[in-house]
Amino acid sequence: MLTTSPARIAEPPSSHTQSQRGWRAVLLTSVGAVAGISMIPFVYLLVRASDKPFDEIVQLLLRQKTLEVLATTATLVICVVAINLVLGIAIASGLHFVHLPFRRLLVIPMVLPLAIPSYVFTYTWVALIPSFSGFAAAVFILSISTIPYIILATLAGLRSIDGSQIEVARSLGLNLPQTFLRVVFPQIRGHVSAGALLAGLYTMSDFGAVSLLNVETLTVSIQNMYRASYDRSAAAVISFVLIAFSILFVLADESIKGKSTQSQLLKSTSFKSPLIRKKYLRFGTTSIITAFALVAVILPFYVLLTRFFSNPVAIDWTSLATATISTVSVAALGAIIALVLSAPLGLLLSAGASRFTTVTNKIVVIAHALPGVVVGLALVSIGSKLGALYQTTFLLAFAYAILFLAKSVTSMSSSLARVPDGVKDVAATLGMNPWAVVKKVIAPIAAPGIGIGTILVFLTAMKELPATLMLRPTGFETLATQIWSSGSINRFNEAAPYALILVLVAAIPTFLISRPDKEDHSYLQESTGGPSERT
Amino acid sequence: MLGLVTSCSTSTNEQATNVTEMTIYSGRSEEFIAPFFADWQAATGIKLNVRYGDSAELSAQILEEGSNSPADLFLSQDAGSLGAISQAGLFTTLPSDVAADIPAAYVAANREWVGITGRARVFAYAPVRVKTLPASVTDLTKSIYKNQIGIAPTNASFQAFLAALIENKGSGFAKTWLEGLQANGVKIYLKNSAIVEAIDKGEISLGLVNHYYIWEVSESLGRAINVKNGFFAPSDLGNLINVSGAGVLQTSAKQKTAQDLINYLTSPAAQQKFVTDTHEYSLLDGALPPTDLPTLDKIGAPSLDLKNLSNIKATQDLLIQVGLL
Amino acid sequence: MNALEVSHLKVLLSGKVVLDDLSLSLAPGQIAALLGPSGCGKTTLLRSIAGLIRPSEGQIRFGKQLVSFSSVHLPPHKRKIGYVPQEGALFPHLNIADNISFGIDSSVFTKDQIRQTTKEMLALTGMDGFGKRMPHQLSGGQQTRVALARALAIKPSIVLLDEPFSALDAELRTELRTDVITLLRSQNTTAILVTHDREEGLVSADVIALMREGKIVQSGTPEDVYSAPISPTIASSTGDALVLQASQLSDGTTDYILNPIKSSAPLVASGHIVIRPEEIKLNKSLTDGSINGQIIKIDYYGHDAMVAIDIAGQHLQVRIPGPFDFNVGQSVALEHVGPVRFFSNN
């Protein structure tokens, strides 16, 4: 145990740690910028709402109509989420555990509804049943629109469960339902909750379906106030009701995630218990899946195709092609911007959550509940002051990024969390500076999950309407705006070609997200019961 | 033939030399108005960048944009949204030689916007089911029409009518009337076309809409419908004539060009085209009315200063109060 | 010149002192075993040496190079340390060969050289032919071997192993450990092996350092540390230990249950003595003056047996060689054959 006298310093002092500190500062500032950007709609709403005198605000908040609309919205969200949970978990579990023909491909139709905007769903179902309208219809449409989120989330959770646990449970005397409830479900709770959160937030922010079906939710009410009333302040006040409700939702999700079992699985080999072959389960699962595919995919496609081919009005192929290119390019740009914005937050979150990053994360998620019209107007308000930047495709893409940032951020942070702990340290000792660690270790492992999140943003941006209407360059048409401008429900035939092309184009990224999981990717250690890959 | 009125006003605001294009925010749908724009574009060689949207949404957008708005001209489907922009001080005063032939009743008193076509409030009804036609809007609270009436309170035209009612009879009266309707089982629709369709389907028998919807719905369905237009007794407030119109933005650098377009739209040829193609009323004196409908002066519209239609706030507050909004 | 010198190291984590005035040095090629209970700071020490943690006080030097001292902190990627963490931490997205060659600088070595080194490492760790496999296809022991190969591929001056064998079953563990130690010695690598397995430490290392609460309380050769522990508690950390009450008398004798003294010399100090179980001999034949006890229990391990003996109410554990001739219930004579390690109470 000798101590020798201090020797010559071998390396220049502190230059490395300084650059590391510099990096951290850059990341923190970027995250701050992202938080600021996500706050834009909230600030806008505050400014507008404050135009009203306080007692008017209170009166507006407490009047019967507001409470009725809030009740309608709440009931709608609860119904949709409840149905989705039951159905989604059933379908996902069936796909994962039960032996079915073409098992791996069955996921694709389950997820395909993501390619279809809710207003197109509504159009097709009204075409099938002319009296299709009202609350129950809205629950139906929004359920089939959002169930893919829960199915994908549950599947991701199920894949992380060690099959041997199930074998043990069975050997201890638990039957299948008991095994599911006591062994499987607690471990997937966090994943399922994250999927339910996205489904609920989407339902809250949806405008297309509910307005066509005559159901007045908060979003419809807000839109009506903008549209029919020039009282932007009243609309802003009601928007806060929406925000409050979505905060409740986010908190509920937090508490569920907190209780879920955090399983640190360090399996070197995956053990997948053999698939169940019980007849009644196979029959049951097949029936549910077929019924869902029929209702959510086959029938809508059928309607779109027949309308397309029986269209009395000649199809303007040029405008169809232009709209398609416009849609794809601006949506892709939006997805890329979302990726860039979420990268610093995701990186910091993967290094360990601080209060700052957690708060930013929450702001981003809550902003996700805001209807497109609010974000649109907020950006009109700011954007019009930016001169040449206003009404450009870039600003529109930027609006998409703000609207859907939550999807990108959650997928990014959960993908980054899947990087095993010790790996980053080891990479450092093997000579990788922090940037090389990101490039050679973190990025390759997290890439698939991040890719999925980006694709999801792309997909959702393609379908967006209200913000697009406001912020697009004059004359710039997307497939969604073309569908909208074909007017009311009974002029659906004119909208059908655009709707069909939109769905077909959107089906491609949807297919990419739902690709059958390569079973041997079990090397990706699931370290928490947190948000899954595709949130 | 196209006749462009060249104006030589002395008080033009800014006007750029060599205008090659102009930006229009149009609350009138592309399907109807695009042919007019195409004609004008062909004649003048000036490219029109048209942003189509809902009148009220576009007006909200212009209000948000404020003095930074890129729009030169705002073409609206109703006077209400024009009034809102005017109240915010975003329109220019138009010189007296712009749309000189439009009667004063259809032009803003401060000349910040002018009417272009007339849109009459009517009640659409199913002749087979409605035996007693209402003589006044106040009749609609009577029990013979219980559960038979449809309105679209979010619609700008309805609100314009309501504003006229408030202006004329006071908000207390209007409130009583609305509550009377609600008690009478009035059905709420989001669009006027939905009301007409509902009448055709038999859901309701009578609805407060604009006169041209029976044509619009019939064309979109591709068949005749069993719905007709009816007018209330002369001078009844239910007979309001609303206008679609236009205003020029103060911040525009192409004021004269915009005024030229307005003059074109109010020229006899264009006005006649409106009657034939969109079934709206021309506002010019002596012009032909749409098929089977009385001329504007015969309708017996209430005498009302259209400027007062921009008192939207009171209207909206009332609707919010009774819970229709 | 020592390969590794840690001087007066102090490390704080979340405000708590985890390493406290810790000093340790290793000559080149020496293997040190770090023994201690969980939470005593073993992993923290390794991570500090690797540069993953920044100490608040103290020095760390590799040979002549000062890597850590107040404002000087050579970042981990410049230290050329081989680090094998507890969980192996193979890169899941790379195959075995790429894992192994991950740290080799491709700007310095050619592709062929890298390939060659990888082949050597595979052979050295007994993983020939596994190059194309993916980590999740390997068993725990195989993953450890690869992790070691990966660490050695960069020809590090020091290798740090954090309980690398803990997840393995006994038989595999011994075999793998032997292979790893042999490999390290063949390369003359300086290494620190963290373990909580006492025997593993004794068998593998040149130097044993016993850690407790962030400090190294005793270090030395295995023999020294085993036979001359500096306290009864320390004694337990290197092997089974019997701690018996004892008194030291003025004439230099020590009185304890296996050596009762009937002298009249005054008491100088009271305390405890530490005896190793194998330092007690049992004899079937009882004599006058022999210390006798009764066998309560025999645990037979094959190569030896642990016998529990009751002496006047006290229970002692004695280790005897395999073949024996005792039965439970039998009375035997006990003889202490070994050093008297007395620790005073003061």
Side-chain angles (χ1 to χ4, degrees):
Chain A
M1 277 151 268
L2 319 158
T3 35
T4 55
S5 50
R8 234 176 51 251
I9 292 176
E11 294 275 347
S14 312
S15 56
H16 323 282
T17 36
Q18 234 171 34
S19 75
Q20 267 188 313
R21 260 186 255 132
W23 266 115
R24 200 168 167 86
V26 166
L27 277 182
L28 280 172
T29 345
S30 324
V31 172
V34 171
I37 290 173
S38 300
M39 292 282 292
I40 289 177
F42 297 111
V43 171
Y44 166 77
L45 287 173
L46 266 175
V47 169
R48 283 283 159 264
S50 60
D51 284 340
K52 262 197 184 315
F54 183 70
D55 43 323
E56 258 190 71
I57 294 181
V58 173
Q59 200 188 40
L60 193 57
L61 286 174
L62 295 177
R63 67 177 181 150
Q64 198 191 355
K65 177 83 169 190
T66 309
L67 298 172
E68 272 172 26
V69 171
L70 176 59
T72 312
T73 312
T75 323
L76 183 66
V77 169
I78 291 173
C79 287
V80 168
V81 170
I83 291 178
N84 280 0
L85 281 177
V86 169
L87 211 52
I89 294 179
I91 292 179
S93 308
L95 285 173
H96 185 76
F97 287 120
V98 177
H99 183 268
L100 299 165
F102 306 111
R103 211 174 123 252
R104 301 225 179 149
L105 297 176
L106 284 178
V107 161
I108 300 173
M110 296 301 104
V111 173
L112 220 42
L114 281 178
I116 306 176
S118 64
Y119 45 89
V120 171
F121 261 129
T122 315
Y123 277 146
T124 57
W125 272 93
V126 168
L128 285 169
I129 306 174
S131 59
F132 192 74
S133 177
F135 186 83
V139 171
F140 174 77
I141 294 286
L142 288 169
S143 297
I144 53 180
S145 290
T146 53
I147 212 177
Y149 292 126
I150 300 210
I151 292 180
L152 283 172
T154 312
L155 277 176
L158 287 172
R159 284 178 198 133
S160 70
I161 293 182
D162 185 1
S164 52
Q165 290 182 11
I166 299 182
E167 305 262 297
V168 168
R170 300 303 309 282
S171 73
L172 286 171
L174 295 178
N175 59 29
L176 279 176
Q178 284 173 326
T179 310
F180 187 83
L181 275 172
R182 289 167 62 178
V183 175
V184 174
F185 188 68
Q187 294 187 52
I188 59 173
R189 236 154 91 167
H191 289 86
V192 170
S193 170
L197 179 65
L198 275 186
L201 289 177
Y202 175 78
T203 307
M204 264 187 259
S205 73
D206 175 74
F207 175 73
V210 282
S211 70
L212 287 170
L213 296 170
N214 271 323
V215 175
E216 191 164 4
T217 60
L218 283 167
T219 307
V220 172
S221 191
I222 292 170
Q223 179 91 342
N224 282 345
M225 283 185 164
Y226 281 127
R227 243 206 294 159
S229 123
Y230 305 104
D231 198 345
R232 290 164 292 151
S233 307
V237 170
I238 301 297
S239 301
F240 277 109
V241 178
L242 185 60
I243 291 174
F245 187 59
S246 70
I247 290 180
L248 277 177
F249 218 70
V250 170
L251 289 176
D253 168 69
E254 290 278 302
S255 77
I256 293 177
K257 273 214 279 277
K259 285 198 220 127
S260 74
T261 37
Q262 314 256 18
S263 50
Q264 180 96 20
L265 291 169
L266 299 165
K267 352 191 259 286
S268 51
T269 47
S270 74
F271 182 72
K272 185 100 202 313
S273 50
L275 300 172
I276 301 174
R277 288 174 182 264
K278 288 218 161 67
K279 280 225 175 78
Y280 73 89
L281 278 177
R282 293 174 74 179
F283 180 71
T285 314
T286 320
S287 317
I288 298 181
I289 290 181
T290 317
F292 181 76
L294 189 70
V295 150
V297 178
I298 300 175
L299 283 176
F301 261 104
Y302 167 74
V303 171
L304 284 176
L305 282 169
T306 49
R307 290 300 165 108
F308 181 80
F309 286 118
S310 66
N311 204 333
V313 181
I315 296 172
D316 183 350
W317 293 104
T318 329
S319 100
L320 192 58
T322 323
T324 309
I325 296 175
S326 306
T327 308
V328 170
S329 53
V330 75
L333 185 58
I336 293 173
I337 296 178
L339 179 64
V340 167
L341 287 179
S342 54
L345 184 58
L347 275 174
L348 276 184
L349 278 173
S350 74
S354 67
R355 201 174 309 158
F356 179 55
T357 50
T358 319
V359 165
T360 308
N361 203 2
K362 290 230 182 38
I363 292 178
V364 167
V365 171
I366 291 171
H368 193 53
L370 285 174
V373 68
V374 170
V375 176
L377 276 177
L379 283 173
V380 163
S381 182
I382 290 189
S384 55
K385 298 181 174 59
L386 297 175
L389 208 53
Y390 183 52
Q391 286 177 1
T392 55
T393 44
F394 176 76
L395 192 64
L396 179 57
F398 192 73
Y400 290 155
I402 296 185
L403 275 167
F404 308 122
L405 196 55
K407 291 199 167 84
S408 186
V409 164
T410 39
S411 85
M412 173 154 302
S413 60
S414 70
S415 315
L416 290 171
R418 292 164 98 197
V419 176
D421 279 329
V423 150
K424 290 181 260 185
D425 289 339
V426 170
T429 61
L430 289 169
M432 301 290 136
N433 61 48
W435 179 240
V437 174
V438 169
K439 206 172 78 159
K440 293 205 182 173
V441 176
I442 299 181
I445 298 180
I450 295 179
I452 288 178
T454 312
I455 289 178
L456 260 182
V457 174
F458 172 64
L459 197 51
T460 327
M462 274 201 285
K463 308 186 289 188
E464 208 282 331
L465 190 57
T468 312
L469 282 171
M470 272 184 260
L471 293 168
R472 62 193 166 134
T474 311
F476 183 87
E477 299 287 343
T478 64
L479 291 165
T481 62
Q482 291 284 39
I483 297 173
W484 172 87
S485 71
S486 303
S488 64
I489 281 185
N490 33 296
R491 279 157 64 185
F492 179 47
N493 285 351
E494 293 169 38
Y498 296 96
L500 185 62
I501 299 296
L502 176 59
V503 170
L504 287 176
V505 171
I508 300 173
T510 309
F511 172 71
L512 288 176
I513 302 180
S514 68
R515 241 177 343 168
D517 180 51
K518 295 181 216 153
E519 228 77 32
D520 54 357
H521 271 194
S522 57
Y523 66 70
L524 293 169
Q525 300 170 355
E526 301 291 337
S527 55
T528 63
S532 71
E533 57 186 310
R534 48 76 270 151
T535 47
Chain B
M1 287 295 99
L2 303 166
L4 282 177
V5 179
T6 44
S7 67
C8 29
S9 61
T10 46
S11 59
T12 18
N13 302 324
E14 306 144 56
Q15 171 70 3
T17 49
N18 274 354
V19 178
T20 50
E21 53 184 345
M22 188 165 72
T23 304
I24 301 179
Y25 280 16
S26 169
R28 305 226 49 185
S29 65
E30 186 173 3
E31 194 186 341
F32 291 136
I33 200 75
F36 294 85
F37 290 148
D39 287 345
W40 193 78
Q41 220 172 265
T44 60
I46 298 176
K47 185 168 179 302
L48 290 175
N49 299 320
V50 189
R51 194 175 187 82
Y52 293 102
D54 174 86
S55 285
E57 280 176 4
L58 282 174
S59 129
Q61 187 165 355
I62 293 178
L63 288 170
E64 281 296 351
E65 290 167 350
S67 52
N68 295 311
S69 178
D72 294 305
L73 181 80
F74 177 41
L75 189 64
S76 167
Q77 200 135 287
D78 64 272
S81 41
L82 290 169
I85 306 283
S86 173
Q87 274 186 335
L90 294 170
F91 275 150
T92 338
T93 315
L94 295 166
S96 48
D97 56 350
V98 174
D101 293 330
I102 302 288
Y106 305 119
V107 174
N110 57 12
R111 285 201 70 87
E112 284 190 357
W113 55 265
V114 295
I116 295 180
T117 63
R119 301 147 79 84
R121 290 297 290 174
V122 299
F123 60 87
Y125 68 101
V128 293
R129 289 194 301 281
V130 180
K131 298 303 174 195
T132 319
L133 300 184
S136 162
V137 276
T138 49
D139 289 350
L140 296 177
T141 53
K142 294 204 180 122
S143 51
I144 48 167
Y145 302 117
K146 196 165 181 67
N147 300 328
Q148 290 302 309
I149 301 176
I151 59 171
T154 55
N155 194 262
S157 328
F158 178 84
Q159 291 183 9
F161 146 71
L162 197 60
L165 193 65
I166 295 175
E167 170 74 16
N168 220 278
K169 291 271 180 53
S171 50
F173 181 89
K175 184 162 186 275
T176 316
W177 180 73
L178 284 172
E179 285 167 344
L181 277 185
Q182 286 174 310
N184 214 13
V186 71
K187 294 200 171 55
I188 309 296
Y189 294 85
L190 283 177
K191 290 182 169 207
N192 287 321
S193 49
I195 293 180
V196 174
E197 283 169 41
I199 298 175
D200 184 57
K201 272 192 266 187
E203 263 172 47
I204 49 175
S205 307
L206 197 150
L208 295 178
V209 294
N210 290 346
H211 76 271
Y212 46 86
Y213 276 100
I214 53 172
W215 281 283
E216 192 181 296
V217 169
S218 163
E219 275 163 22
S220 76
L221 287 177
R223 58 172 172 83
I225 54 174
N226 304 316
V227 188
K228 288 180 71 141
N229 281 333
F231 289 90
F232 297 103
S235 297
D236 188 78
L237 285 162
N239 288 344
L240 181 72
I241 309 286
N242 205 334
V243 296
S244 77
V248 178
L249 277 295
Q250 253 218 5
T251 44
S252 166
K254 299 163 190 178
Q255 309 252 338
K256 189 168 166 311
T257 319
Q259 290 165 19
D260 281 347
L261 179 56
I262 294 180
N263 282 333
Y264 161 66
L265 291 172
T266 53
S267 65
Q271 289 276 304
Q272 186 53 44
K273 199 166 145 76
F274 275 117
V275 177
T276 328
D277 292 354
T278 68
H279 306 282
E280 287 171 299
Y281 274 98
S282 161
L283 292 176
L284 297 174
D285 279 332
L288 283 173
T291 324
D292 288 345
L293 289 185
T295 51
L296 274 181
D297 47 357
K298 290 265 177 41
I299 291 176
S303 52
L304 180 71
D305 189 347
L306 273 182
K307 148 174 117 23
N308 297 322
L309 289 187
S310 51
N311 179 12
I312 300 295
K313 188 173 187 317
T315 316
Q316 252 111 57
D317 286 345
L318 182 61
L319 281 171
I320 292 175
Q321 221 185 351
V322 299
L324 281 173
L325 202 63
Chain C
M1 172 105 302
N2 281 321
L4 168 71
E5 257 198 62
V6 176
S7 327
H8 304 294
L9 203 66
K10 182 165 173 181
V11 171
L12 290 160
L13 288 179
S14 311
K16 272 187 13 182
V17 177
V18 182
L19 296 182
D20 192 2
D21 194 21
L22 191 146
S23 301
L24 173 72
S25 44
L26 287 180
Q30 272 195 324
I31 298 184
L34 210 52
L35 278 174
S38 342
C40 68
K42 311 191 290 281
T43 304
T44 309
L45 177 58
L46 286 195
R47 290 169 64 84
S48 305
I49 296 173
L52 297 165
I53 296 178
R54 229 188 139 159
S56 43
E57 278 172 36
Q59 274 190 39
I60 301 179
R61 187 175 280 135
F62 298 161
K64 261 204 294 223
Q65 190 188 33
L66 184 68
V67 302
S68 178
F69 176 55
S70 74
S71 60
V72 175
H73 179 77
L74 192 63
H77 61 275
K78 297 203 189 226
R79 290 198 186 192
K80 262 194 124 197
I81 295 272
Y83 180 51
V84 183
Q86 206 164 354
E87 65 273 18
L90 296 184
F91 301 119
H93 60 294
L94 300 173
N95 66 23
I96 301 306
D98 290 335
N99 257 283
I100 293 178
S101 60
F102 187 79
I104 304 178
D105 193 342
S106 54
S107 63
V108 172
F109 297 97
T110 68
K111 275 216 178 82
D112 281 330
Q113 286 172 316
I114 296 178
R115 232 192 311 254
Q116 184 60 27
T117 309
T118 310
K119 244 178 76 164
E120 279 168 21
M121 289 298 130
L122 283 168
L124 268 175
T125 51
M127 297 293 292
D128 283 305
F130 278 79
K132 294 281 188 218
R133 303 256 187 112
M134 297 299 287
H136 65 278
Q137 295 172 303
L138 266 49
S139 70
Q142 291 167 329
Q143 288 191 9
T144 305
R145 289 179 198 259
V146 174
L148 186 63
R150 177 178 61 179
L152 289 175
I154 60 172
K155 310 274 193 279
S157 48
I158 301 173
V159 172
L160 307 171
L161 302 128
D162 195 346
E163 301 204 44
F165 314 116
S166 53
L168 307 171
D169 65 72
E171 209 182 297
L172 188 58
R173 188 180 182 131
T174 321
E175 188 186 313
L176 183 58
R177 180 184 70 215
T178 315
D179 288 346
V180 167
I181 301 295
T182 313
L183 176 57
L184 290 173
R185 292 218 186 271
S186 72
Q187 308 264 294
N188 204 36
T189 317
T190 315
I192 302 182
L193 170 70
V194 165
T195 176
H196 59 264
D197 184 330
R198 305 180 294 204
E199 279 160 20
E200 187 168 278
L202 290 171
V203 109
S204 320
D206 305 310
V207 174
I208 298 209
L210 299 172
M211 272 189 79
R212 232 171 208 66
E213 285 167 18
K215 291 181 157 57
I216 293 186
V217 290
Q218 184 176 4
S219 73
T221 66
E223 298 80 14
D224 290 340
V225 168
Y226 185 79
S227 55
I230 59 170
S231 80
T233 337
I234 300 293
S236 319
S237 52
T238 48
D240 293 322
L242 297 169
V243 181
L244 305 171
Q245 277 188 313
S247 319
Q248 213 169 41
L249 306 178
S250 61
D251 58 2
T253 55
T254 316
D255 172 81
Y256 56 100
I257 194 168
L258 295 178
N259 186 28
I261 299 204
K262 297 190 172 79
S263 138
S264 52
L267 183 71
V268 166
S270 50
H272 296 87
I273 67 161
V274 171
I275 299 181
R276 297 292 184 192
E278 64 271 16
E279 290 167 349
I280 300 179
K281 299 282 178 273
L282 298 180
N283 210 312
K284 270 203 289 193
S285 35
L286 312 175
T287 61
D288 263 355
S290 66
I291 317 296
N292 304 326
Q294 192 179 36
I295 297 180
I296 310 169
K297 190 161 170 282
I298 302 179
D299 286 325
Y300 178 56
Y301 292 106
H303 45 72
D304 59 27
M306 289 292 276
V307 182
I309 306 222
D310 179 274
I311 296 186
Q314 264 193 44
H315 287 197
L316 298 182
Q317 292 278 349
V318 178
R319 181 175 280 127
I320 57 175
F324 59 85
D325 197 12
F326 301 108
N327 300 308
V328 175
Q330 200 173 355
S331 285
V332 286
L334 288 86
E335 191 190 343
H336 177 211
V337 179
V340 175
R341 309 176 189 94
F342 179 78
F343 298 98
S344 154
N345 277 342
N346 313 328

